[in-house]
Amino acid sequence: MTDHTTSPAWISSSGPDGDVSYPPAPWAMVGQLWLSVLKLRTGVDELRPAGVYGVAFVSYEPGSPLTYSELLVARLVPTQQHGRCVSITDIWVDSPASVAGGRELWAIPKQLCDFELDTSHRGPLTSTHWSTSLERRPIASASFTDVSRAMVRIPFRGTTWQPGIGDTDGQDRTAALQGSSKALPCRGRWDFAADGPLGWLRGARQLASFRQADFRMCFG
Ligand SMILES: CC(=O)CC(=O)O
């Protein structure tokens, strides 16, 4: 994890994990993303109803203003102003600056956890294993094999909508995202710890997985 905090334009914050500074919006990020789409039969609460969810591991790499790992769960929600938006229900990163920036700029409810990432290449094939834990207790792990690096770059765009949180004084926030990546379906297998914060996804049916290799994204 590398936080570059020298620019005076960065925003200082006494975030939930101590004093940090983070870049102003938008964030121009580069990295790697692995996403699986799951169908949850039984809702958990108002924010997590039955339906289709995306669960992803992301590595924001050098070239990004903040570098960190991320685990997120999101679903599509209808909004009046922006149509269907991505809404993140659960998210962890390993950068206190990213926690503060995500929460204060966009109401993204980031928390901290620990990550392990292991990636290896054989020819065009990439094999990847991710795991996460919170105070040594597992949250989720996943393994993927993909050939996305061999794909041509294709554009993507979207909008996130987040319900208000304390860090935004209860105000909803939206953020535009757009970029490009080398994206293809891949093989993915997830395990959610039964007694962890994503245990509610254990029974969800996995529908498909995708890898976005070498993405470039402008967020916010
Ligand atoms: C730029 C971002 O905040 C994206 C994320 O970390 O989810």
Side-chain angles (χ1 to χ4, degrees), residues 27 29 60 68 70 91 98 106 108 110 219:
W27 291 6
M29 311 299 276
Y60 294 101
Y68 53 95
E70 181 170 273
I91 180 166
S98 171
W106 303 301
I108 298 175
K110 293 182 179 178
F219 186 91

Side-chain angles (χ1 to χ4, degrees), residues 121-154:
H121 304 298
R122 179 183 287 188
L125 196 71
T126 303
S127 303
T128 305
H129 183 76
W130 281 94
S131 61
T132 44
S133 59
L134 192 55
E135 291 167 1
R136 294 173 190 271
R137 297 174 71 114
I139 300 175
S141 59
S143 297
F144 303 92
T145 48
D146 74 271
V147 292
S148 289
R149 288 185 311 148
M151 175 62 176
V152 295
R153 186 168 283 283
I154 50 175

Side-chain angles (χ1 to χ4, degrees), residues 57-87:
F57 276 112
V58 191
S59 174
Y60 294 101
E61 297 179 335
S64 309
L66 295 174
T67 56
Y68 53 95
S69 298
E70 181 170 273
L71 165 64
L72 70 90
V73 183
R75 68 190 191 95
L76 291 176
V77 299
T79 66
Q80 283 205 330
Q81 249 193 314
H82 301 279
R84 292 219 302 175
C85 289
V86 175
S87 192

